[in-house]
Short mmCIF file of all heavy atoms in Angstrom, two decimals:
data_model
loop_
_atom_site.label_atom_id
_atom_site.label_comp_id
_atom_site.label_asym_id
_atom_site.label_seq_id
_atom_site.Cartn_x
_atom_site.Cartn_y
_atom_site.Cartn_z
N LEU A 271 75.82 101.94 114.41
CA LEU A 271 75.51 101.28 113.15
C LEU A 271 74.44 100.26 113.49
O LEU A 271 74.67 99.41 114.33
CB LEU A 271 76.71 100.58 112.56
CG LEU A 271 77.71 101.38 111.79
CD1 LEU A 271 78.75 100.48 111.18
CD2 LEU A 271 77.07 102.25 110.73
N ARG A 272 73.29 100.38 112.87
CA ARG A 272 72.22 99.44 113.09
C ARG A 272 72.04 98.59 111.85
O ARG A 272 71.82 99.06 110.77
CB ARG A 272 70.92 100.13 113.41
CG ARG A 272 69.80 99.14 113.71
CD ARG A 272 68.60 99.75 114.38
NE ARG A 272 68.85 100.68 115.45
CZ ARG A 272 69.03 100.33 116.74
NH1 ARG A 272 69.06 99.06 117.04
NH2 ARG A 272 69.24 101.25 117.65
N ARG A 273 72.20 97.28 112.00
CA ARG A 273 72.15 96.31 110.91
C ARG A 273 70.79 95.69 110.85
O ARG A 273 70.34 95.05 111.83
CB ARG A 273 73.26 95.27 111.09
CG ARG A 273 73.35 94.33 109.95
CD ARG A 273 74.78 93.84 109.78
NE ARG A 273 75.57 94.89 109.16
CZ ARG A 273 76.93 94.89 109.28
NH1 ARG A 273 77.55 93.87 109.85
NH2 ARG A 273 77.59 95.85 108.73
N ARG A 274 70.10 95.77 109.68
CA ARG A 274 68.83 95.19 109.48
C ARG A 274 68.95 93.78 108.87
O ARG A 274 68.05 92.96 109.05
CB ARG A 274 68.01 96.09 108.54
CG ARG A 274 67.76 97.45 109.11
CD ARG A 274 67.06 98.33 108.12
NE ARG A 274 66.88 99.66 108.71
CZ ARG A 274 66.79 100.73 107.98
NH1 ARG A 274 66.86 100.68 106.64
NH2 ARG A 274 66.63 101.91 108.56
N GLU A 275 70.03 93.55 108.14
CA GLU A 275 70.24 92.25 107.54
C GLU A 275 71.76 92.01 107.53
O GLU A 275 72.52 92.88 107.14
CB GLU A 275 69.72 92.23 106.09
CG GLU A 275 69.89 90.89 105.42
CD GLU A 275 69.37 90.94 103.96
OE1 GLU A 275 68.46 91.71 103.67
OE2 GLU A 275 69.90 90.10 103.16
N ASP A 276 72.20 90.89 108.04
CA ASP A 276 73.62 90.56 108.15
C ASP A 276 74.06 89.74 106.90
O ASP A 276 73.95 88.56 106.84
CB ASP A 276 73.88 89.74 109.40
CG ASP A 276 75.36 89.48 109.68
OD1 ASP A 276 76.19 90.00 108.90
OD2 ASP A 276 75.62 88.77 110.64
N VAL A 277 74.55 90.49 105.90
CA VAL A 277 74.91 89.84 104.67
C VAL A 277 76.16 88.97 104.77
O VAL A 277 76.33 88.01 104.00
CB VAL A 277 75.05 90.83 103.49
CG1 VAL A 277 73.73 91.57 103.22
CG2 VAL A 277 76.20 91.86 103.78
N SER A 278 77.03 89.31 105.75
CA SER A 278 78.30 88.52 105.90
C SER A 278 78.11 87.34 106.82
O SER A 278 78.93 86.46 106.84
CB SER A 278 79.40 89.46 106.47
OG SER A 278 79.10 89.79 107.74
N GLY A 279 77.11 87.37 107.70
CA GLY A 279 76.91 86.32 108.66
C GLY A 279 77.89 86.41 109.85
O GLY A 279 78.00 85.41 110.62
N VAL A 280 78.51 87.56 110.01
CA VAL A 280 79.50 87.72 111.08
C VAL A 280 79.04 88.65 112.21
O VAL A 280 79.15 88.33 113.41
CB VAL A 280 80.82 88.27 110.49
CG1 VAL A 280 81.82 88.59 111.61
CG2 VAL A 280 81.40 87.33 109.53
N SER A 281 78.39 89.80 111.85
CA SER A 281 78.12 90.80 112.84
C SER A 281 76.77 90.70 113.58
O SER A 281 76.63 91.26 114.63
CB SER A 281 78.13 92.19 112.14
OG SER A 281 79.37 92.43 111.60
N GLY A 282 75.85 89.98 112.93
CA GLY A 282 74.54 89.84 113.57
C GLY A 282 73.63 91.02 113.20
O GLY A 282 73.94 91.84 112.29
N LEU A 283 72.53 91.14 113.91
CA LEU A 283 71.53 92.19 113.70
C LEU A 283 71.46 93.15 114.82
O LEU A 283 71.95 92.90 115.92
CB LEU A 283 70.20 91.53 113.43
CG LEU A 283 70.06 90.49 112.34
CD1 LEU A 283 68.63 89.89 112.34
CD2 LEU A 283 70.35 91.16 111.02
N GLY A 284 70.85 94.31 114.58
CA GLY A 284 70.67 95.31 115.58
C GLY A 284 71.91 96.21 115.61
O GLY A 284 72.56 96.43 114.58
N THR A 285 72.24 96.75 116.81
CA THR A 285 73.35 97.58 116.95
C THR A 285 74.66 96.78 116.88
O THR A 285 74.90 95.90 117.70
CB THR A 285 73.33 98.35 118.31
OG1 THR A 285 72.08 99.11 118.35
CG2 THR A 285 74.51 99.30 118.46
#
Side-chain angles (χ1 to χ4, degrees):
L271 279 186
R272 184 167 312 277
R273 184 150 287 160
R274 298 175 183 153
E275 183 180 333
D276 185 5
V277 297
S278 68
V280 175
S281 300
L283 301 175
T285 302

